[in-house]
Amino acid sequence: MSHRSSRHLRVGALSRVEGEGALRVRVRDGRVEEVQLRIYEPPRFFEAFLRGRAHTEPPDITARVCGICPVAYQMSACQAIERACGVRVAAGVADLRRLLYCGEWIESHTLHIHLLHAPDFLGVPDAITLARRDRAVVERGLALKRAGNAVMELLGGRAIHPINVRLGGFYRLPDPADLRRLREQLRQALDDAVATAAWVATFDFPDVETDHELLALHEPGEYAVDRGVLRTSGGLEFPVEEFLDHVVERQVAHSTALQSTLDGRRHLTGPLARYALNAQWLRPAAAEAARAAGLDGPCRNPFRSIVVRAVEVVHAVEEALHVLDHYQPPAAPHVPVPARAAVGHGATEAPRGVLYHRYVLNDAGLLDSVDMVPPTAQNQLAIEDDLRRVVQDNLDLDDGELTKLCERAIRNHDPCISCSAHFLDLTVERA
Amino acid sequence: MAERSTPTLAVWKFTSCDGCQLTLLDCEEDLLALTGQVEIRHFLEASSRADPGPYDVSLVEGSITTAEQERLIRQVREWSRVLVTIGACATAGGVQALRNFADVEEFRSVVYATPSYVDTLATSTPIAAHVRVDYELRGCPIDRRQLVAVLSAFLAGREPDLPDDSVCTECKRRGNTCVMVADGTPCLGPVTHAGCGALCPTYRRGCYGCFGPVRAPNTRSLIRQLRVCGMGDAELDRVFHTFNAAAPGFASARGETDEPSQ
């Protein structure tokens, strides 16, 4: 019950998220009237300045959209442009790309779990404070994160904006001795990942049930990361080439942002969507971790996304080990990718959800147009809907507590505002 | 730096990808040790705690692209005893400074379907164009070892030792075979600021200049060599026109590509 008829909640600068966002909620007569996730991250115009660049450049340039998930950008870009040029990479290259992507999942998810999200459940402002209370758990998290970074550093050269990725493959193949050392580190990381999943499962989760349409890549036989078709919880399936026929960005009256819908409906992409649609293909330790954590069947509570992320880290470590156990070096680090006039589409599962790229190449090998649809842009409406639910169900809390809960509802989705902002519209209020 | 009370640190973000401040969180093995020695008072990406200044050290990521940021950076300068810019956006305007060479109105209409008010300046400018900067860490992104070295220097009360030679020098020191001489691979190493440890050549790739120009870069001479490696005018133009496009040493190199090749 509301103790006042009219309330305004504001968070001027969201913390423990990537990028800059703000939140505004208006309540009148015990009803949530308006919820806005405001993005004030300034635009950087990637889609504009990529025009006229060479078809070989997007893996390096689009990585700079996001320092947290550069590999996702590189992989969606490579996939789209290689498809446009009719090139398939060697199996060994595809394996190494999968391994690199696992590194990013491990690093990004572990960062979110330990440094950004867990503090919400433990009532501390940050992981530094948490470390004073339970140093071992933070050290375990940092060791796990380091394992993810080790994968990216070996294959990519560095963890942020890797330099070893190129169209057709890599500049240099990893040294077998380094791969063996990496395998040892990942063996240890597997234990840490399982322990982390058990740890987050003990948190208290607010009781919320959402009904977003879920969207994820889908490839029978595997927990899809870098290939497959798009599938929804409603049973719709479509190829990557039709992405923009279904996921449409539109401007909403009085809204500050372009928002994506899926066939006109609000949708959610990311860990909850992947788990709901693909859980049967988790690798064994991840499946066991999910069972042990009490995840049975699709999880519709966004506060429990931290558990799903932890399960996905277990999976990513197992997947990385699987790649290492079966890897056969390709004949060459890369195959040539000669340009041709064509359109190419790519979609991969960034840690936060489906990241779609589309490139139009001309016959001079230059880019005529570029489209990128990042996961957080897609998730905006779902996040706002979560906020509406959370506020409506908790009007008895005082403003301070309710505001904290709202911030948590946003962090549940690990929004990557740095990414989304470059594609979202920004309105500046002027008095 | 002589006082014994715990030094305070703040981390700021302007227009950027978050990657450079993430580098601080990527100092995994040093992170907890560091937090035992400095008090992090403002770091929105990592903490909901946001304490007011003054701060002993501010790390500043990102470039200035809005009027509000122009105001905030002056505040940050006032609050900070030492201000360190981190990364190509903060030191040179970043990849988003490509707008400086284009029509930002046209850019806006390409990215945003519905004409509306997008708050942005026509240029993306480095922090030093607005306030005094004490030290700068180059790179897109910065190098983790350099960040740790700078913070350690502060804690020890000494000047940070930041090399200002070229990637080429680092590459030689590392004992790499030159990719340009041996493979004919175009490489910006001779004109690019050190700090990455010659990462790209170590991966048999030419340096693409993400640490920006070294002081007094001899781009004219390098461009001749890049042409020998097969680069044409358009490629030469693009290679200097990326993550440090607005850095003077690279921006002027573009003019030098116009001269007719021999």
Side-chain angles (χ1 to χ4, degrees), chain B residues 23-42:
Chain B
T23 305
L24 186 58
L25 301 180
D26 271 358
C27 297
E28 286 109 5
E29 49 267 61
D30 300 310
L31 186 62
L32 290 181
L34 178 73
T35 59
Q37 295 180 61
V38 298
E39 187 188 352
I40 300 179
R41 292 178 64 95
H42 188 281

PDB file of all heavy atoms in Angstrom, chain B residues 23-42:
ATOM      1  N   THR B  23      39.792  -1.994 -17.316  1.00  0.00           N
ATOM      2  CA  THR B  23      41.173  -2.421 -17.120  1.00  0.00           C
ATOM      3  C   THR B  23      41.549  -2.393 -15.640  1.00  0.00           C
ATOM      4  O   THR B  23      42.312  -3.235 -15.163  1.00  0.00           O
ATOM      5  CB  THR B  23      42.126  -1.507 -17.929  1.00  0.00           C
ATOM      6  OG1 THR B  23      41.705  -1.527 -19.292  1.00  0.00           O
ATOM      7  CG2 THR B  23      43.565  -1.996 -17.840  1.00  0.00           C
ATOM      8  N   LEU B  24      40.980  -1.443 -14.913  1.00  0.00           N
ATOM      9  CA  LEU B  24      41.250  -1.384 -13.471  1.00  0.00           C
ATOM     10  C   LEU B  24      40.703  -2.641 -12.781  1.00  0.00           C
ATOM     11  O   LEU B  24      41.359  -3.234 -11.925  1.00  0.00           O
ATOM     12  CB  LEU B  24      40.623  -0.118 -12.880  1.00  0.00           C
ATOM     13  CG  LEU B  24      40.909   0.203 -11.419  1.00  0.00           C
ATOM     14  CD1 LEU B  24      42.395   0.325 -11.141  1.00  0.00           C
ATOM     15  CD2 LEU B  24      40.200   1.488 -10.994  1.00  0.00           C
ATOM     16  N   LEU B  25      39.503  -3.050 -13.188  1.00  0.00           N
ATOM     17  CA  LEU B  25      38.923  -4.268 -12.603  1.00  0.00           C
ATOM     18  C   LEU B  25      39.637  -5.521 -13.116  1.00  0.00           C
ATOM     19  O   LEU B  25      39.574  -6.576 -12.504  1.00  0.00           O
ATOM     20  CB  LEU B  25      37.428  -4.351 -12.921  1.00  0.00           C
ATOM     21  CG  LEU B  25      36.581  -3.183 -12.409  1.00  0.00           C
ATOM     22  CD1 LEU B  25      35.122  -3.365 -12.788  1.00  0.00           C
ATOM     23  CD2 LEU B  25      36.707  -3.046 -10.897  1.00  0.00           C
ATOM     24  N   ASP B  26      40.297  -5.374 -14.266  1.00  0.00           N
ATOM     25  CA  ASP B  26      41.042  -6.510 -14.811  1.00  0.00           C
ATOM     26  C   ASP B  26      42.396  -6.709 -14.125  1.00  0.00           C
ATOM     27  O   ASP B  26      43.111  -7.651 -14.429  1.00  0.00           O
ATOM     28  CB  ASP B  26      41.286  -6.304 -16.319  1.00  0.00           C
ATOM     29  CG  ASP B  26      40.141  -6.872 -17.157  1.00  0.00           C
ATOM     30  OD1 ASP B  26      39.213  -7.449 -16.569  1.00  0.00           O
ATOM     31  OD2 ASP B  26      40.185  -6.729 -18.388  1.00  0.00           O
ATOM     32  N   CYS B  27      42.753  -5.812 -13.233  1.00  0.00           N
ATOM     33  CA  CYS B  27      44.005  -5.984 -12.479  1.00  0.00           C
ATOM     34  C   CYS B  27      43.753  -7.027 -11.388  1.00  0.00           C
ATOM     35  O   CYS B  27      44.022  -6.768 -10.205  1.00  0.00           O
ATOM     36  CB  CYS B  27      44.442  -4.675 -11.829  1.00  0.00           C
ATOM     37  SG  CYS B  27      44.819  -3.377 -13.005  1.00  0.00           S
ATOM     38  N   GLU B  28      43.217  -8.180 -11.783  1.00  0.00           N
ATOM     39  CA  GLU B  28      42.694  -9.126 -10.797  1.00  0.00           C
ATOM     40  C   GLU B  28      43.627  -9.348  -9.621  1.00  0.00           C
ATOM     41  O   GLU B  28      43.256  -9.149  -8.472  1.00  0.00           O
ATOM     42  CB  GLU B  28      42.384 -10.475 -11.450  1.00  0.00           C
ATOM     43  CG  GLU B  28      41.143 -10.464 -12.304  1.00  0.00           C
ATOM     44  CD  GLU B  28      41.462 -10.569 -13.770  1.00  0.00           C
ATOM     45  OE1 GLU B  28      42.650 -10.740 -14.095  1.00  0.00           O
ATOM     46  OE2 GLU B  28      40.531 -10.480 -14.597  1.00  0.00           O
ATOM     47  N   GLU B  29      44.856  -9.754  -9.917  1.00  0.00           N
ATOM     48  CA  GLU B  29      45.742 -10.126  -8.813  1.00  0.00           C
ATOM     49  C   GLU B  29      46.145  -8.938  -7.949  1.00  0.00           C
ATOM     50  O   GLU B  29      46.470  -9.082  -6.788  1.00  0.00           O
ATOM     51  CB  GLU B  29      46.982 -10.892  -9.310  1.00  0.00           C
ATOM     52  CG  GLU B  29      47.696 -10.230 -10.457  1.00  0.00           C
ATOM     53  CD  GLU B  29      47.211 -10.728 -11.811  1.00  0.00           C
ATOM     54  OE1 GLU B  29      46.031 -10.582 -12.152  1.00  0.00           O
ATOM     55  OE2 GLU B  29      48.041 -11.271 -12.533  1.00  0.00           O
ATOM     56  N   ASP B  30      46.066  -7.725  -8.562  1.00  0.00           N
ATOM     57  CA  ASP B  30      46.480  -6.532  -7.825  1.00  0.00           C
ATOM     58  C   ASP B  30      45.309  -5.757  -7.244  1.00  0.00           C
ATOM     59  O   ASP B  30      45.500  -4.833  -6.467  1.00  0.00           O
ATOM     60  CB  ASP B  30      47.268  -5.596  -8.760  1.00  0.00           C
ATOM     61  CG  ASP B  30      48.505  -6.282  -9.315  1.00  0.00           C
ATOM     62  OD1 ASP B  30      49.255  -6.848  -8.506  1.00  0.00           O
ATOM     63  OD2 ASP B  30      48.702  -6.263 -10.531  1.00  0.00           O
ATOM     64  N   LEU B  31      44.098  -6.117  -7.654  1.00  0.00           N
ATOM     65  CA  LEU B  31      42.939  -5.289  -7.319  1.00  0.00           C
ATOM     66  C   LEU B  31      42.710  -5.205  -5.816  1.00  0.00           C
ATOM     67  O   LEU B  31      42.554  -4.127  -5.257  1.00  0.00           O
ATOM     68  CB  LEU B  31      41.692  -5.836  -8.031  1.00  0.00           C
ATOM     69  CG  LEU B  31      40.427  -4.989  -7.902  1.00  0.00           C
ATOM     70  CD1 LEU B  31      40.622  -3.615  -8.520  1.00  0.00           C
ATOM     71  CD2 LEU B  31      39.240  -5.691  -8.569  1.00  0.00           C
ATOM     72  N   LEU B  32      42.715  -6.362  -5.158  1.00  0.00           N
ATOM     73  CA  LEU B  32      42.439  -6.344  -3.724  1.00  0.00           C
ATOM     74  C   LEU B  32      43.588  -5.693  -2.959  1.00  0.00           C
ATOM     75  O   LEU B  32      43.366  -4.978  -1.988  1.00  0.00           O
ATOM     76  CB  LEU B  32      42.161  -7.754  -3.212  1.00  0.00           C
ATOM     77  CG  LEU B  32      40.833  -8.358  -3.692  1.00  0.00           C
ATOM     78  CD1 LEU B  32      40.618  -9.750  -3.106  1.00  0.00           C
ATOM     79  CD2 LEU B  32      39.647  -7.467  -3.366  1.00  0.00           C
ATOM     80  N   ALA B  33      44.800  -5.939  -3.425  1.00  0.00           N
ATOM     81  CA  ALA B  33      45.952  -5.289  -2.794  1.00  0.00           C
ATOM     82  C   ALA B  33      45.834  -3.777  -2.933  1.00  0.00           C
ATOM     83  O   ALA B  33      46.051  -3.025  -1.987  1.00  0.00           O
ATOM     84  CB  ALA B  33      47.241  -5.773  -3.441  1.00  0.00           C
ATOM     85  N   LEU B  34      45.439  -3.348  -4.118  1.00  0.00           N
ATOM     86  CA  LEU B  34      45.298  -1.917  -4.380  1.00  0.00           C
ATOM     87  C   LEU B  34      44.235  -1.302  -3.477  1.00  0.00           C
ATOM     88  O   LEU B  34      44.423  -0.231  -2.896  1.00  0.00           O
ATOM     89  CB  LEU B  34      44.930  -1.712  -5.851  1.00  0.00           C
ATOM     90  CG  LEU B  34      44.695  -0.263  -6.280  1.00  0.00           C
ATOM     91  CD1 LEU B  34      46.015   0.480  -6.346  1.00  0.00           C
ATOM     92  CD2 LEU B  34      43.988  -0.206  -7.628  1.00  0.00           C
ATOM     93  N   THR B  35      43.102  -2.004  -3.366  1.00  0.00           N
ATOM     94  CA  THR B  35      42.012  -1.429  -2.576  1.00  0.00           C
ATOM     95  C   THR B  35      42.352  -1.396  -1.091  1.00  0.00           C
ATOM     96  O   THR B  35      41.687  -0.709  -0.322  1.00  0.00           O
ATOM     97  CB  THR B  35      40.696  -2.201  -2.783  1.00  0.00           C
ATOM     98  OG1 THR B  35      40.907  -3.567  -2.408  1.00  0.00           O
ATOM     99  CG2 THR B  35      40.238  -2.115  -4.211  1.00  0.00           C
ATOM    100  N   GLY B  36      43.401  -2.134  -0.697  1.00  0.00           N
ATOM    101  CA  GLY B  36      43.862  -2.024   0.674  1.00  0.00           C
ATOM    102  C   GLY B  36      44.689  -0.760   0.888  1.00  0.00           C
ATOM    103  O   GLY B  36      44.880  -0.327   2.010  1.00  0.00           O
ATOM    104  N   GLN B  37      45.188  -0.197  -0.200  1.00  0.00           N
ATOM    105  CA  GLN B  37      46.087   0.953  -0.074  1.00  0.00           C
ATOM    106  C   GLN B  37      45.493   2.273  -0.516  1.00  0.00           C
ATOM    107  O   GLN B  37      45.998   3.331  -0.174  1.00  0.00           O
ATOM    108  CB  GLN B  37      47.367   0.696  -0.877  1.00  0.00           C
ATOM    109  CG  GLN B  37      48.175  -0.455  -0.319  1.00  0.00           C
ATOM    110  CD  GLN B  37      49.424  -0.665  -1.150  1.00  0.00           C
ATOM    111  OE1 GLN B  37      50.257   0.222  -1.247  1.00  0.00           O
ATOM    112  NE2 GLN B  37      49.537  -1.818  -1.768  1.00  0.00           N
ATOM    113  N   VAL B  38      44.449   2.207  -1.348  1.00  0.00           N
ATOM    114  CA  VAL B  38      43.774   3.448  -1.718  1.00  0.00           C
ATOM    115  C   VAL B  38      42.299   3.313  -1.400  1.00  0.00           C
ATOM    116  O   VAL B  38      41.750   2.218  -1.367  1.00  0.00           O
ATOM    117  CB  VAL B  38      43.910   3.792  -3.228  1.00  0.00           C
ATOM    118  CG1 VAL B  38      45.343   3.989  -3.616  1.00  0.00           C
ATOM    119  CG2 VAL B  38      43.260   2.724  -4.076  1.00  0.00           C
ATOM    120  N   GLU B  39      41.681   4.431  -1.155  1.00  0.00           N
ATOM    121  CA  GLU B  39      40.260   4.428  -0.907  1.00  0.00           C
ATOM    122  C   GLU B  39      39.572   4.869  -2.190  1.00  0.00           C
ATOM    123  O   GLU B  39      39.738   6.010  -2.633  1.00  0.00           O
ATOM    124  CB  GLU B  39      39.945   5.387   0.244  1.00  0.00           C
ATOM    125  CG  GLU B  39      38.517   5.317   0.691  1.00  0.00           C
ATOM    126  CD  GLU B  39      38.167   6.409   1.691  1.00  0.00           C
ATOM    127  OE1 GLU B  39      39.087   7.125   2.155  1.00  0.00           O
ATOM    128  OE2 GLU B  39      36.976   6.548   1.979  1.00  0.00           O
ATOM    129  N   ILE B  40      38.826   3.957  -2.788  1.00  0.00           N
ATOM    130  CA  ILE B  40      38.118   4.308  -4.018  1.00  0.00           C
ATOM    131  C   ILE B  40      36.825   5.001  -3.627  1.00  0.00           C
ATOM    132  O   ILE B  40      35.922   4.395  -3.075  1.00  0.00           O
ATOM    133  CB  ILE B  40      37.851   3.058  -4.883  1.00  0.00           C
ATOM    134  CG1 ILE B  40      39.186   2.399  -5.256  1.00  0.00           C
ATOM    135  CG2 ILE B  40      37.064   3.436  -6.131  1.00  0.00           C
ATOM    136  CD1 ILE B  40      39.063   1.152  -6.089  1.00  0.00           C
ATOM    137  N   ARG B  41      36.761   6.292  -3.902  1.00  0.00           N
ATOM    138  CA  ARG B  41      35.618   7.077  -3.419  1.00  0.00           C
ATOM    139  C   ARG B  41      34.565   7.330  -4.484  1.00  0.00           C
ATOM    140  O   ARG B  41      33.446   7.714  -4.179  1.00  0.00           O
ATOM    141  CB  ARG B  41      36.108   8.419  -2.849  1.00  0.00           C
ATOM    142  CG  ARG B  41      36.925   8.248  -1.571  1.00  0.00           C
ATOM    143  CD  ARG B  41      37.430   9.585  -1.076  1.00  0.00           C
ATOM    144  NE  ARG B  41      36.333  10.465  -0.691  1.00  0.00           N
ATOM    145  CZ  ARG B  41      35.873  10.582   0.556  1.00  0.00           C
ATOM    146  NH1 ARG B  41      36.403   9.876   1.518  1.00  0.00           N
ATOM    147  NH2 ARG B  41      34.895  11.415   0.822  1.00  0.00           N
ATOM    148  N   HIS B  42      34.939   7.155  -5.727  1.00  0.00           N
ATOM    149  CA  HIS B  42      33.956   7.369  -6.797  1.00  0.00           C
ATOM    150  C   HIS B  42      34.337   6.504  -7.992  1.00  0.00           C
ATOM    151  O   HIS B  42      35.358   6.740  -8.627  1.00  0.00           O
ATOM    152  CB  HIS B  42      33.926   8.847  -7.194  1.00  0.00           C
ATOM    153  CG  HIS B  42      32.808   9.180  -8.140  1.00  0.00           C
ATOM    154  ND1 HIS B  42      32.871   8.904  -9.481  1.00  0.00           N
ATOM    155  CD2 HIS B  42      31.590   9.745  -7.940  1.00  0.00           C
ATOM    156  CE1 HIS B  42      31.745   9.288 -10.061  1.00  0.00           C
ATOM    157  NE2 HIS B  42      30.955   9.798  -9.152  1.00  0.00           N
TER     158      HIS B  42
END
